[in-house]
Amino acid sequence: MPGVSLSASGLSKRYGATEALRLDALAVGPGERVGLVGNNGAGKTTLLRLALDLIAPTTGVVALDGVRVGGPDLGWKARVAAFLDAGFLVDFLRPHEYLRLVGGAYGLSGAEVDARIDRYRPFLGAALDGGRLIRDLSLGNAGKVGIVSALLPGAGLVVLDEPFAHLDPGARIALERLLRDDTDGATVLVSSHDLDHVVGVCTRVLVLADGRLVRDTPSTPGTLADLRAYFADGAVRA
């Protein structure tokens, strides 16, 4: 499926007196792989949840391929897949059952889901072994199931929040390769504290601080050093 464009204008989200996010404008082109980085409370997850219509903006608009998120046209939902946290999982199912459930929601047959699971079997590894329920998996293996559930439909926009958390080093490297080389032209939004892997995956990195976009830079050989220096300087000031 072709990558989906994302735009935001005049976007804000408030919780009482606290403004969690304010973006005057943002544009993400089809097929871009965009990393969101920032300290806790920077607004990363808020932006992802607004993009998925999980929360409503206080002001402004998010649009996917020009269609307003939260509007009457719901066709964009079939082109988006996401895994933000364990709340997305149905933990009384086995991984294979859950992936079939997700695939079915996107109109895939059982055979198509099984073929796509085989594609991700090396990454899933022990998450598929033993017929265990998702609730009985380690955090890392449950996370793998959630990540694959977002990749499996072949959506035009894939949204992941902290996908590298709880993964062992080998799985982190494997995930980096999947997101960089095996998303079939999808637009990818990844929020993470892991600067190394964000730079390894993404073509563009957005830095958020206190709900504001403070940096928007293409990923280059010098980006990782620049980001480390930026956050180290902030730690010194703090």
Side-chain angles (χ1 to χ4, degrees), residues 202-219:
C202 295
T203 56
R204 179 179 169 196
V205 179
L206 309 181
V207 180
L208 297 177
D210 299 322
R212 305 295 200 274
L213 177 61
V214 296
R215 286 192 176 196
D216 181 349
T217 181
S219 183

Side-chain angles (χ1 to χ4, degrees), residues 189-212:
L189 293 183
V190 177
S191 170
S192 180
H193 289 127
D194 194 317
L195 300 179
D196 297 65
H197 290 299
V198 165
V199 173
V201 165
C202 295
T203 56
R204 179 179 169 196
V205 179
L206 309 181
V207 180
L208 297 177
D210 299 322
R212 305 295 200 274

Side-chain angles (χ1 to χ4, degrees), residues 94-104 108-129 134 144-154 178 182:
R94 294 173 176 83
H96 187 270
E97 294 171 332
Y98 176 68
L99 294 172
R100 276 205 166 194
L101 176 68
V102 171
L108 300 176
S109 69
E112 288 174 316
V113 172
D114 290 347
R116 296 188 186 198
I117 289 173
D118 284 341
R119 175 179 179 179
Y120 298 111
R121 193 173 292 274
F123 173 69
L124 285 164
L128 290 177
D129 294 345
I134 291 174
K144 289 180 184 180
V145 175
I147 291 163
V148 169
S149 75
L151 297 174
L152 181 144
L178 280 177
D182 201 18

